[in-house]
Amino acid sequence: GSRSAFGGTLCNPYDTARDPGGSSGGSASSVAANLVTCAISEEGAPSIRMPSRLNNVIGLSPTQGLVSRDGMIGAGTLNDRVGAACRTIEDEARVFDVIAGYDPADDLTVYSVGRIPKEGYASFTKAKDLKNVTIGVLREYMDKNLFTQADAETIDAIDRAVDDLRKLGATIVDPGPHGALFQSCLEQ
């Protein structure tokens, strides 16, 4: 779990017996406990995604090149990214409106040039439908037979969310739980 030299072992604010999720667990748990609105995290593994999930907050780990890694402790390895954990998707989008884009101190951010929406990410959080949006569902790691009951419940929640996205007008590309893509991955 997460530990602090100043405060000791960090706890999940929803259940203090549960892990807050690794290296950025303190960041995500502080968001979940309403101590801060958002927390910026470094990710070399799932250090944004896992703590966000375990603490029930919004976490976004961007593609490399979208947000500068300049100043990161481990910057330069293949997986390093900077992202945020926030209470709402609107707050997440506002953070990305500020931190995303080209930085001459990180050559990889040249890939963000021309790819940042002119109207800003926050403008997309007010959409009432998802027409003209295509969402792909990756089933490779969603076989309930391979995981715990809690993971199976998470997969069920994802399936319900996919149905909700479809109802909002999104085009869903989903091979299904037993689709050809899923089966080919299992056979490898």
Side-chain angles (χ1 to χ4, degrees):
S2 297
R3 300 190 195 291
S4 164
F6 299 105
T9 301
L10 303 171
C11 297
N12 183 309
Y14 292 103
D15 183 344
T16 58
R18 292 181 184 239
D19 186 357
S23 66
S24 291
S27 301
S29 63
S30 66
V31 172
N34 290 320
L35 299 174
V36 297
T37 301
C38 294
I40 303 293
S41 297
E42 296 181 4
E43 181 163 278
S47 299
I48 297 167
R49 294 165 287 149
M50 182 177 59
S52 295
R53 177 177 61 95
L54 294 179
N55 289 284
N56 197 34
V57 298
I58 305 295
L60 183 60
S61 179
T63 57
Q64 281 189 327
L66 182 62
V67 177
S68 178
R69 298 166 300 154
D70 183 48
M72 282 183 68
I73 293 171
T77 64
L78 294 175
N79 295 324
D80 289 336
R81 298 178 263 208
V82 175
C86 299
R87 287 191 294 247
T88 69
I89 194 67
E90 291 88 357
D91 288 338
E92 189 78 50
R94 287 183 191 109
V95 168
F96 274 85
D97 281 340
V98 173
I99 67 174
Y102 177 68
D103 178 4
D106 183 352
D107 292 339
L108 199 56
T109 59
V110 74
Y111 292 110
S112 70
V113 175
R115 293 190 169 110
I116 307 270
K118 289 179 180 53
E119 56 278 327
Y121 293 104
S123 69
F124 294 100
T125 64
K126 304 300 181 199
K128 301 294 183 208
D129 63 55
L130 296 174
K131 289 180 178 73
N132 300 319
V133 173
T134 300
I135 299 172
V137 181
L138 301 175
R139 294 283 178 177
E140 286 86 347
Y141 300 104
M142 294 174 67
D143 182 350
K144 292 180 185 180
N145 296 319
L146 300 175
F147 298 104
T148 67
Q149 180 61 35
D151 293 320
E153 290 171 9
T154 299
I155 292 167
D156 289 340
I158 290 168
D159 287 335
R160 288 189 303 274
V162 168
D163 286 340
D164 290 342
L165 294 168
R166 185 179 289 113
K167 289 174 188 170
L168 289 169
T171 299
I172 305 295
V173 179
D174 183 0
H178 303 292
L181 176 63
F182 184 75
Q183 288 301 323
S184 68
C185 290
L186 289 177
E187 292 167 5
Q188 292 180 3

